[in-house]
Amino acid sequence: MCVSRFSKIVPIALLLALSACATPPSRINDICAVFEQRDGWFDNWHRSAKATERKYGIPVHVLMATVRKESGFKGNARPRRTKLFGFIPWTRVSSAYGYSQALNGTWSQYQRESGNFAARRTKFADAVDFVGWYHSKTVNNYGVAPDDTFRLYLAYYHGWGGFKRGNWTPEIQKYARDTDDMARRYQAQLRSCGG
């Protein structure tokens, strides 16, 4: 009798644990709340972001603001689909996917260069590591400061070629300013919650 109940409880508990990971955190404008909601034993976002900061030298608040802007912390985020004849869902505007919205080609380059061939765009630890890797290449190749969220985001959004050309539309500059503002807010919040 006891074993039978236990065998029913375990799968339900596992499903609840997995569904909690699948939903994005609420209160995404408060980094302390985000880290509080994702502080599990296996999936600890604060620990992953700190590890990325140590590895690449990109501050946690810059990493998290980038992920926040790109996906709203949704692990399965994708760009919208285009419409055929104005109403039939068709192809997506790009191959961006996951927390980091990394494109297929750039993700493959990251996997090759990092040696992390099992990395998944839907796993936060891998996605934040990708963001750190990408930003660190921008720092090293283009002389951008590791905490210059505005310029790092311009390079992230446009790619290195577009960043080098400097043809940034006012709309993209606004995205970069918004990301920079979020990073500053996150930085202030992290001081209050010991991040």
Side-chain angles (χ1 to χ4, degrees), residues 51-182:
T52 299
E53 178 182 58
R54 284 190 300 274
K55 185 175 180 182
Y56 297 108
I58 308 298
V60 167
H61 61 276
V62 175
L63 297 166
M64 296 303 286
T66 303
V67 176
R68 159 70 175 85
K69 185 64 175 175
E70 287 296 290
S71 67
F73 298 118
K74 295 180 183 96
N76 62 351
R78 288 183 186 271
R80 62 179 170 71
R81 288 186 178 276
T82 57
K83 302 281 188 194
L84 182 64
F85 305 120
F87 66 94
I88 300 170
W90 201 241
T91 59
R92 296 190 189 277
V93 294
S94 81
S95 63
Y97 182 58
Y99 288 110
S100 62
Q101 289 295 282
L103 300 173
N104 290 348
T106 316
W107 187 259
S108 295
Q109 180 185 353
Y110 159 73
Q111 288 179 306
R112 280 192 314 275
E113 291 185 10
S114 68
N116 189 2
F117 293 101
R120 296 186 332 266
R121 290 179 274 186
T122 56
K123 182 178 175 188
F124 180 81
D126 293 338
V128 78
D129 192 73
F130 169 86
V131 172
W133 168 84
Y134 196 98
H135 283 341
S136 73
K137 289 180 82 68
T138 302
V139 167
N140 295 333
N141 295 331
Y142 298 99
V144 177
D147 62 349
D148 185 348
T149 310
F150 178 79
R151 294 183 70 219
L152 288 172
Y153 188 79
L154 285 173
Y156 194 86
Y157 188 92
H158 270 295
W160 293 305
F163 180 74
K164 188 176 179 181
R165 286 189 297 276
N167 54 350
W168 313 317
T169 66
E171 181 183 26
I172 302 311
Q173 290 184 56
K174 183 187 179 321
Y175 290 164
R177 273 193 303 278
D178 291 346
T179 308
D180 184 54
D181 289 345
M182 183 58 64

Side-chain angles (χ1 to χ4, degrees), residues 17-55:
L18 289 173
S19 68
C21 294
T23 57
S26 60
R27 297 177 54 215
I28 61 174
N29 295 328
D30 180 345
I31 195 62
C32 299
V34 169
F35 284 150
E36 206 173 89
Q37 293 169 79
R38 293 295 185 268
D39 68 347
W41 183 259
F42 295 108
D43 189 28
N44 186 305
W45 286 15
H46 186 246
R47 190 170 51 225
S48 296
K50 288 298 280 184
T52 299
E53 178 182 58
R54 284 190 300 274
K55 185 175 180 182

